Amino acid sequence: MKNTFYITTPIYYVNDVPHIGHAYTTVAADFVARYHRLAGEPVFFLTGTDEHGQKVARAAEEKGVAPQEWCDQMIPQWTEVWNRLLISYDDFIRTTEDRHVRPVQQLVQKLFDNGDIYLGHYEGPYCVACETFYQPSEVENGLCPIHERPVEMVKEENYFFKLSSYQDRLLKLYEENPDFVRPEMRLNEVLSFVKGGLEDLSISRTSFSWGIPIPWDPKHVMYVWIDALQNYITAVGHGSDEDRFNSLWPADFHFIGKDILRHHAVIWPAVLMAAGIDLPKTVFAHGYLTVGGKKMSKTNLTGISPHHLLDTFGPDGYRYHFLREGVFGQDGSFSWEAMVARFNADLANDLGNLVSRTLALVARSFDGLVPEPAEVTSEEETLRTVASKARDELDRGVRSLDFASALTAVMEFVGETNHYIDRAAPWNLAKDEASRPRLATVLYSALEAVRHLSILINPAMPNASEKIRTQLGLPSGIGALDDELRWGVLSAGTRTERGEGVFPRIEVE
Ligand code: ME8
């Protein structure tokens, strides 16, 4: 029985190092994975690398190294970025691993034995940058519709998968499960593509050898996508550990960019149908990060390195920006200026300042010890209501993949807490001994709000969450949400620590 929330990113080509487009998908998936874990659900979060095919083989050739060696050299550059971005993947699959190769061969053999694969001739345009066959009608002026680079003409003997015979079953799938492809705009694209008629898919190549051999005819290597898509099942035990597979599959979400929608929404379900395997629940295709109005990509020399942004914004500022900016699903343009402005406004001025001023007030008036609150007023009641609304909105936002709303709600809670402190003016209360009980209540409530925030920001900003919790004198780690998000968990007498600012302002030269 499946009991685990299973989410995936694409497995990225290792022809080059990661850029902020790859990180966009991966950060989004990590945010969702971390939220579900925080909510107490078992989670399996998979990422990895796509290592076969012409694109990778050519990159290796240009550098004069063998393809496997090239892949091995690239891996640390990918994992380093994921580590810096605090990506909490549970597994990292590489398609050159034996645990992937063997089950892939078995599955393809099964499709061949069942009569879903036949030998034929392919002739047509192919884009190596996206490793995709196109219809001549899709190619304008000899250029790939995605990469706008020249396609190559391929003419060879290939094995074909009978994709065309799945057309009706696919249409029935989209009709019966409108959530199979999201957002709706992408579903409509897929529907019109499939209704336009499906051609059988060439699934092998003979003109180069960097791929998984076709088991019954090893002069052919598998078309890289037929191999790559199966990572989602081989990583969780398909073909090696059926009990494990049944406890994890089907995936709840495949997060992808819209460039690889057809592969995931058409080819993948058809292959699974042919193999008699359950289908994933949802393929979510987000839009492009654009630079200067075009899809940012290494191929077009507009790639921006995550390291560059991490050096300035740190992992929390980085993650927050891409989760909060724009609507997940649509295209969004990247700009350095917007990133600095949002960091300074939301994180340095609002959240960072809330934490540091609250702790400064507690240090000054109570020697850094959490005060015992006295009587509460409607002001504190309101703050509690805002806290619980933020929790609900975060939950709703993450589950519906509306990340901007989820984080807006959390930031509104930050703003409300700042207003609460401004209205209560603890700096005035501190001047008068008779106001001490009121001062204790106000600072206790501010600390409780900050403690709640340390939990609510955790999936988006894990390091900042941990830093704030340390400053509040809390032990590391967050327990069951229902217990943690009760008001009044912070014990009076706990020693707080004024550490360095959580989000120092970024000064623009
Ligand atoms: O396609 N904006 O790998 P890939 C947003 N190996 N996201 C972007 C982006 C951009 N400008 N550029 C890239 C492959 N991405 C295959 C996948 S899966 C079985 C095989 C992200 O290295 C986005 O998720 O070209 C996109 O789908 C993916 O990187 C493509 O990565």
Side-chain angles (χ1 to χ4, degrees), residues 222-279:
M222 251 172 243
Y223 169 45
V224 61
W225 272 100
I226 287 295
D227 145 14
L229 287 161
Q230 292 183 55
N231 88 88
Y232 302 131
I233 55 174
T234 59
V236 292
H238 181 255
S240 61
D241 182 346
E242 292 310 309
D243 286 344
R244 178 156 181 266
F245 181 61
N246 292 331
S247 73
L248 289 164
W249 188 257
D252 293 82
F253 286 110
H254 290 320
F255 273 13
I256 58 167
K258 66 182 182 183
D259 48 341
I260 54 177
L261 177 63
R262 285 185 199 173
H263 310 81
H264 282 80
V266 182
I267 300 176
W268 183 222
V271 167
L272 289 168
M273 285 172 183
I277 299 172
D278 289 345
L279 306 185

Side-chain angles (χ1 to χ4, degrees), residues 433-487:
E433 194 51 35
S435 307
R436 208 153 163 82
R438 181 70 197 139
L439 177 64
T441 306
V442 169
L443 292 185
Y444 181 84
S445 305
L447 286 167
E448 258 301 273
V450 171
R451 189 185 64 81
H452 273 68
L453 282 164
S454 75
I455 299 165
L456 301 181
I457 65 165
N458 183 272
M461 297 182 274
N463 272 6
S465 158
E466 197 58 39
K467 268 192 206 161
I468 295 172
R469 294 178 68 77
T470 306
Q471 297 186 357
L472 288 176
L474 297 167
S476 147
I478 299 171
L481 262 200
D482 284 340
D483 297 334
E484 295 272 3
L485 290 178
R486 275 183 301 117
W487 196 267

Side-chain angles (χ1 to χ4, degrees), residues 161-288:
F161 169 62
K162 289 185 182 165
L163 184 61
S164 61
S165 64
Y166 289 88
Q167 179 162 345
D168 292 342
R169 273 172 279 184
L170 287 168
L171 289 173
K172 189 157 169 268
L173 162 71
Y174 310 136
E175 192 185 317
E176 290 175 356
N177 303 283
D179 272 350
F180 181 72
V181 181
R182 287 175 53 192
E184 197 182 347
M185 175 184 36
R186 303 283 165 235
L187 173 64
N188 293 335
E189 270 174 45
V190 170
L191 274 173
S192 82
F193 175 71
V194 175
K195 281 182 184 159
L198 292 176
E199 306 266 332
D200 288 348
L201 176 73
S202 162
I203 59 140
S204 76
R205 304 291 304 274
T206 48
S207 52
F208 63 96
S209 62
W210 182 237
I212 299 182
I214 293 280
W216 64 90
D217 191 352
K219 71 174 184 292
H220 290 251
V221 292
M222 251 172 243
Y223 169 45
V224 61
W225 272 100
I226 287 295
D227 145 14
L229 287 161
Q230 292 183 55
N231 88 88
Y232 302 131
I233 55 174
T234 59
V236 292
H238 181 255
S240 61
D241 182 346
E242 292 310 309
D243 286 344
R244 178 156 181 266
F245 181 61
N246 292 331
S247 73
L248 289 164
W249 188 257
D252 293 82
F253 286 110
H254 290 320
F255 273 13
I256 58 167
K258 66 182 182 183
D259 48 341
I260 54 177
L261 177 63
R262 285 185 199 173
H263 310 81
H264 282 80
V266 182
I267 300 176
W268 183 222
V271 167
L272 289 168
M273 285 172 183
I277 299 172
D278 289 345
L279 306 185
K281 292 184 198 162
T282 296
V283 171
F284 189 96
H286 63 67
Y288 291 150

